[in-house]
Amino acid sequence: MSERALRGTRLVVTSYETDRGIDLAPRQAVEYACEKGHRFEMPFSVEAEIPPEWECKVCGAPALLVDGEGPEEKKAKPARTHWDMLMERRTREELEEVLEERLAVLRSGAMNLAVHPRDSRKSA
């Protein structure tokens, strides 16, 4: 019986609440324009901080505030290279020491770099 009572009422789509007696917060309409010439208004609270850039409702391109300041330029960090990160951890003197140690090991023949065990299996 409850199924028949709810059939056709569209509970999900329709709200039965009304806006009578409700005071909405004070609002202001802010106009934006994109580079393709589309102009549209967005409602904001009077207390809200107005963003200088908004996505265009028509084309999705960035739209700028009409009669407002443009967005602040973000400071771009220079890319950190491997060398920069290495120099944060070690001094030049330490790096020269490590290099000399590694060269001494290679020159002494302690590491056999000429033949790799897997290479010998392929040739057999």
Side-chain angles (χ1 to χ4, degrees):
M1 183 149 174
S2 63
E3 291 177 14
R4 286 188 222 138
L6 293 177
R7 189 178 298 167
T9 60
R10 302 185 313 169
L11 287 176
V12 177
V13 178
T14 306
S15 173
Y16 293 109
E17 294 182 14
T18 63
D19 292 337
R20 274 186 252 135
I22 296 176
D23 293 330
L24 297 175
R27 299 177 187 268
Q28 61 180 333
V30 179
E31 189 175 14
Y32 288 92
C34 78
E35 53 193 35
K36 295 184 181 177
H38 303 126
R39 293 177 82 92
F40 59 94
E41 287 187 347
M42 292 298 301
F44 286 96
S45 169
V46 173
E47 301 169 356
E49 185 178 327
I50 308 300
E53 188 175 321
W54 199 265
E55 184 178 310
C56 178
K57 287 182 166 185
V58 179
C59 64
L64 298 176
L65 186 62
V66 175
D67 298 331
E69 296 178 17
E72 294 178 13
E73 294 292 325
K74 295 181 181 178
K75 294 180 182 176
K77 287 178 149 180
R80 283 178 47 196
T81 64
H82 179 71
W83 179 254
D84 295 333
M85 291 184 269
L86 185 63
M87 292 307 290
E88 288 174 6
R89 295 190 312 266
R90 298 189 185 236
T91 63
R92 234 186 211 310
E93 292 79 25
E94 290 174 330
L95 291 173
E96 287 174 4
E97 253 181 66
V98 171
L99 176 63
E100 287 304 319
E101 290 173 10
R102 299 283 53 183
L103 287 175
V105 170
L106 286 173
R107 289 178 183 142
S108 70
M111 294 179 63
N112 189 1
L113 297 177
V115 179
H116 193 276
R118 291 185 184 174
D119 293 338
S120 60
R121 279 186 258 154
K122 290 180 183 176
S123 60

